[in-house]
Amino acid sequence: LRMTNEYPISKSMLSVTDHLIAGITLLLNTFKKVAIRGVVGNHGRWDKKMPSKNRVFENYEWLVLQMLARHFRGETGLHFDIADGADLPFNIYGTRYLVNHGDQAKGGSGIAGALSPLMLMDARKRKRAMATKQEYDYQVLGHWHQKLFFKGIIVNSALKGYDEWAASMNFEWELPSQNAWVTHPDHGITVVWPIYLERQGVTF
Protein backbone atom coordinates (compact mmCIF):
# COMPACT_ATOMS: atom_id res chain seq x y z
CA LEU A 1 0.00 0.00 0.00
CA ARG A 2 3.03 2.33 0.10
CA MET A 3 2.49 3.01 -3.61
CA THR A 4 -0.72 4.90 -2.81
CA ASN A 5 0.44 6.81 0.28
CA GLU A 6 -0.53 10.46 0.05
CA TYR A 7 2.56 11.68 1.94
CA PRO A 8 5.93 10.32 3.06
CA ILE A 9 6.13 9.50 6.77
CA SER A 10 7.53 12.84 7.98
CA LYS A 11 4.80 14.86 6.26
CA SER A 12 2.17 12.38 7.45
CA MET A 13 3.32 12.88 11.05
CA LEU A 14 2.86 16.65 10.78
CA SER A 15 -0.54 16.25 9.15
CA VAL A 16 -1.92 13.76 11.65
CA THR A 17 -0.57 15.82 14.57
CA ASP A 18 -2.54 18.85 13.34
CA HIS A 19 -5.72 16.77 13.12
CA LEU A 20 -5.18 15.30 16.59
CA ILE A 21 -4.53 18.75 18.10
CA ALA A 22 -7.85 19.95 16.65
CA GLY A 23 -9.68 16.92 18.04
CA ILE A 24 -8.13 17.18 21.50
CA THR A 25 -8.89 20.90 21.60
CA LEU A 26 -12.54 20.13 20.82
CA LEU A 27 -12.62 17.65 23.70
CA LEU A 28 -11.05 20.19 26.07
CA ASN A 29 -13.66 22.77 25.09
CA THR A 30 -16.40 20.23 25.88
CA PHE A 31 -15.17 18.41 28.99
CA LYS A 32 -13.40 19.65 32.11
CA LYS A 33 -10.88 16.81 32.17
CA VAL A 34 -9.46 14.71 29.32
CA ALA A 35 -7.02 11.78 29.52
CA ILE A 36 -4.96 10.72 26.49
CA ARG A 37 -3.44 7.25 26.79
CA GLY A 38 -1.12 6.09 24.03
CA VAL A 39 0.72 2.92 23.03
CA VAL A 40 2.75 2.26 19.90
CA GLY A 41 2.22 -0.53 17.41
CA ASN A 42 3.85 -2.23 14.48
CA HIS A 43 2.75 0.38 11.91
CA GLY A 44 5.11 3.07 13.21
CA ARG A 45 8.20 0.89 13.69
CA TRP A 46 11.53 2.03 12.25
CA ASP A 47 12.79 -1.44 11.34
CA LYS A 48 11.39 -4.18 9.11
CA LYS A 49 10.41 -6.22 12.16
CA MET A 50 9.01 -5.02 15.49
CA PRO A 51 11.92 -4.89 17.98
CA SER A 52 11.78 -5.90 21.63
CA LYS A 53 14.50 -3.50 22.80
CA ASN A 54 13.49 0.16 22.41
CA ARG A 55 10.16 -0.95 20.91
CA VAL A 56 8.55 2.29 22.02
CA PHE A 57 11.28 4.83 21.38
CA GLU A 58 12.15 3.69 17.86
CA ASN A 59 8.63 4.29 16.62
CA TYR A 60 7.04 7.22 14.76
CA GLU A 61 3.85 6.93 16.81
CA TRP A 62 5.79 7.69 19.99
CA LEU A 63 7.12 10.86 18.37
CA VAL A 64 3.58 11.99 17.47
CA LEU A 65 2.42 11.37 21.05
CA GLN A 66 5.37 13.34 22.41
CA MET A 67 4.68 16.25 20.02
CA LEU A 68 1.08 16.33 21.25
CA ALA A 69 2.15 16.26 24.90
CA ARG A 70 4.57 19.15 24.30
CA HIS A 71 1.96 21.18 22.43
CA PHE A 72 -0.50 20.89 25.33
CA ARG A 73 1.99 21.19 28.21
CA GLY A 74 0.64 23.51 30.85
CA GLU A 75 -2.97 22.53 30.05
CA THR A 76 -4.22 21.61 33.53
CA GLY A 77 -7.31 19.75 32.34
CA LEU A 78 -5.37 17.37 30.10
CA HIS A 79 -3.40 14.31 31.18
CA PHE A 80 -1.08 12.32 28.89
CA ASP A 81 -0.14 8.75 29.77
CA ILE A 82 2.31 7.48 27.13
CA ALA A 83 3.44 3.89 27.62
CA ASP A 84 7.15 3.05 27.75
CA GLY A 85 6.36 -0.60 26.96
CA ALA A 86 3.97 -2.66 24.89
CA ASP A 87 1.14 -2.54 27.46
CA LEU A 88 -0.45 0.32 29.37
CA PRO A 89 -2.70 -0.41 32.38
CA PHE A 90 -5.19 2.16 33.67
CA ASN A 91 -8.26 2.31 35.88
CA ILE A 92 -11.63 4.02 35.38
CA TYR A 93 -14.04 3.94 38.34
CA GLY A 94 -12.55 0.66 39.52
CA THR A 95 -12.74 -1.05 36.11
CA ARG A 96 -9.22 -2.15 35.17
CA TYR A 97 -8.11 -1.80 31.55
CA LEU A 98 -4.98 -2.94 29.72
CA VAL A 99 -4.37 -1.30 26.34
CA ASN A 100 -1.90 -2.40 23.66
CA HIS A 101 -1.79 -2.27 19.87
CA GLY A 102 -2.65 -5.94 19.40
CA ASP A 103 0.25 -6.97 17.17
CA GLN A 104 1.53 -9.40 19.81
CA ALA A 105 -1.24 -11.84 18.83
CA LYS A 106 -0.09 -13.97 15.92
CA GLY A 107 -2.10 -16.05 13.46
CA GLY A 108 -5.77 -15.70 12.61
CA SER A 109 -5.91 -17.52 9.28
CA GLY A 110 -8.06 -20.38 10.59
CA ILE A 111 -11.85 -20.64 10.61
CA ALA A 112 -12.00 -18.85 14.00
CA GLY A 113 -10.20 -15.84 12.51
CA ALA A 114 -8.86 -13.40 15.08
CA LEU A 115 -10.61 -15.10 17.99
CA SER A 116 -8.02 -17.87 18.53
CA PRO A 117 -4.85 -15.70 18.59
CA LEU A 118 -6.56 -12.98 20.63
CA MET A 119 -7.84 -15.39 23.27
CA LEU A 120 -4.43 -17.10 23.46
CA MET A 121 -2.67 -13.75 23.94
CA ASP A 122 -5.24 -12.69 26.53
CA ALA A 123 -4.84 -15.94 28.49
CA ARG A 124 -1.07 -15.47 28.61
CA LYS A 125 -1.35 -11.82 29.63
CA ARG A 126 -3.87 -12.62 32.37
CA LYS A 127 -1.61 -15.36 33.73
CA ARG A 128 1.31 -12.93 33.89
CA ALA A 129 -0.92 -10.21 35.36
CA MET A 130 -2.03 -12.52 38.17
CA ALA A 131 1.58 -13.45 38.97
CA THR A 132 2.60 -9.77 39.16
CA LYS A 133 -0.62 -8.59 40.88
CA GLN A 134 -1.58 -6.41 37.89
CA GLU A 135 -4.91 -8.03 37.03
CA TYR A 136 -7.21 -6.35 34.51
CA ASP A 137 -10.86 -6.68 33.49
CA TYR A 138 -10.65 -5.68 29.83
CA GLN A 139 -7.89 -5.72 27.24
CA VAL A 140 -8.30 -2.94 24.65
CA LEU A 141 -6.52 -3.08 21.29
CA GLY A 142 -6.66 -2.41 17.57
CA HIS A 143 -4.48 -3.92 14.82
CA TRP A 144 -7.02 -6.47 13.57
CA HIS A 145 -9.02 -4.12 11.31
CA GLN A 146 -12.36 -5.33 12.69
CA LYS A 147 -14.73 -4.45 15.51
CA LEU A 148 -14.89 -7.09 18.27
CA PHE A 149 -16.22 -7.02 21.83
CA PHE A 150 -16.08 -10.39 23.61
CA LYS A 151 -14.92 -12.14 26.81
CA GLY A 152 -13.02 -9.16 28.25
CA ILE A 153 -11.40 -8.23 24.92
CA ILE A 154 -12.26 -5.00 23.06
CA VAL A 155 -10.92 -4.62 19.51
CA ASN A 156 -11.34 -1.36 17.60
CA SER A 157 -12.29 -1.28 13.93
CA ALA A 158 -10.03 0.27 11.28
CA LEU A 159 -10.55 4.02 11.14
CA LYS A 160 -9.23 4.07 7.56
CA GLY A 161 -11.89 1.62 6.45
CA TYR A 162 -11.74 -1.40 4.19
CA ASP A 163 -8.81 -1.50 1.78
CA GLU A 164 -6.85 -3.80 -0.53
CA TRP A 165 -5.00 -5.43 2.36
CA ALA A 166 -8.19 -6.23 4.28
CA ALA A 167 -9.65 -7.68 1.10
CA SER A 168 -6.55 -9.79 0.43
CA MET A 169 -6.80 -11.18 3.98
CA ASN A 170 -10.51 -11.96 3.39
CA PHE A 171 -11.63 -9.96 6.41
CA GLU A 172 -15.34 -9.31 6.84
CA TRP A 173 -16.41 -6.02 5.29
CA GLU A 174 -17.42 -3.29 7.74
CA LEU A 175 -17.71 0.47 7.82
CA PRO A 176 -14.82 2.42 9.41
CA SER A 177 -15.72 3.13 13.03
CA GLN A 178 -14.39 3.99 16.48
CA ASN A 179 -15.49 2.06 19.57
CA ALA A 180 -17.18 4.01 22.33
CA TRP A 181 -18.59 2.89 25.66
CA VAL A 182 -19.53 4.14 29.12
CA THR A 183 -17.72 2.92 32.26
CA HIS A 184 -20.18 3.13 35.17
CA PRO A 185 -18.83 3.63 38.74
CA ASP A 186 -20.89 0.70 40.06
CA HIS A 187 -21.58 -1.55 37.07
CA GLY A 188 -18.45 -1.25 34.92
CA ILE A 189 -19.07 -1.16 31.17
CA THR A 190 -22.74 -0.53 30.43
CA VAL A 191 -23.57 1.25 27.16
CA VAL A 192 -21.51 0.16 24.12
CA TRP A 193 -21.82 1.64 20.64
CA PRO A 194 -19.63 2.31 17.58
CA ILE A 195 -19.12 5.80 16.15
CA TYR A 196 -19.34 5.29 12.39
CA LEU A 197 -17.14 7.46 10.17
CA GLU A 198 -18.86 6.70 6.89
CA ARG A 199 -22.44 6.36 5.67
CA GLN A 200 -23.60 5.24 2.24
CA GLY A 201 -20.15 5.81 0.79
CA VAL A 202 -19.82 9.34 2.24
CA THR A 203 -16.87 9.95 4.61
CA PHE A 204 -17.53 12.43 7.42
Side-chain angles (χ1 to χ4, degrees):
L1 296 179
R2 287 183 62 183
M3 290 184 290
T4 57
N5 282 350
E6 183 177 2
Y7 293 136
I9 290 176
S10 57
K11 292 183 69 175
S12 296
M13 290 173 62
L14 294 175
S15 176
V16 74
T17 300
D18 287 341
H19 288 296
L20 290 171
I21 287 173
I24 294 170
T25 301
L26 180 62
L27 290 173
L28 283 171
N29 291 336
T30 306
F31 303 100
K32 292 182 179 180
K33 293 184 178 180
V34 175
I36 306 293
R37 297 183 171 94
V39 296
V40 305
N42 61 307
H43 298 281
R45 67 188 186 277
W46 292 0
D47 296 321
K48 185 175 181 179
K49 292 185 178 181
M50 196 69 180
S52 296
K53 292 288 187 180
N54 292 322
R55 168 192 174 96
V56 172
F57 309 113
E58 294 186 356
N59 193 293
Y60 294 109
E61 295 159 8
W62 182 81
L63 286 175
V64 169
L65 289 165
Q66 293 298 327
M67 287 192 293
L68 291 171
R70 290 194 176 198
H71 177 86
F72 287 104
R73 59 188 171 195
E75 186 70 55
T76 57
L78 181 60
H79 170 70
F80 275 91
D81 192 359
I82 303 171
D84 57 6
D87 300 311
L88 178 63
F90 61 94
N91 189 301
I92 300 178
Y93 292 136
T95 298
R96 301 164 300 180
Y97 292 97
L98 181 73
V99 63
N100 62 78
H101 181 71
D103 57 301
Q104 299 167 67
K106 307 299 182 183
S109 59
I111 191 65
L115 300 183
S116 294
L118 287 174
M119 292 183 71
L120 177 59
M121 179 181 70
D122 189 57
R124 290 173 174 171
K125 284 185 180 293
R126 288 184 186 275
K127 184 177 181 180
R128 183 185 65 190
M130 290 180 64
T132 57
K133 302 186 185 305
Q134 295 179 323
E135 293 93 339
Y136 60 90
D137 302 304
Y138 295 94
Q139 185 179 177
V140 183
L141 46 97
H143 183 70
W144 289 85
H145 292 247
Q146 55 189 302
K147 181 173 70 274
L148 298 170
F149 207 114
F150 70 104
K151 293 187 178 296
I153 302 174
I154 303 171
V155 184
N156 200 55
S157 178
L159 291 176
K160 73 187 294 293
Y162 209 74
D163 60 15
E164 298 93 332
W165 183 80
S168 69
M169 296 298 291
N170 297 307
F171 289 164
E172 291 185 28
W173 185 89
E174 61 181 46
L175 289 170
S177 65
Q178 169 68 55
N179 286 345
W181 65 87
V182 172
T183 304
H184 192 277
D186 299 322
H187 306 294
I189 292 180
T190 53
V191 180
V192 178
W193 72 95
I195 301 172
Y196 287 105
L197 307 177
E198 186 176 292
R199 182 178 58 203
Q200 297 177 348
V202 178
T203 302
F204 295 130

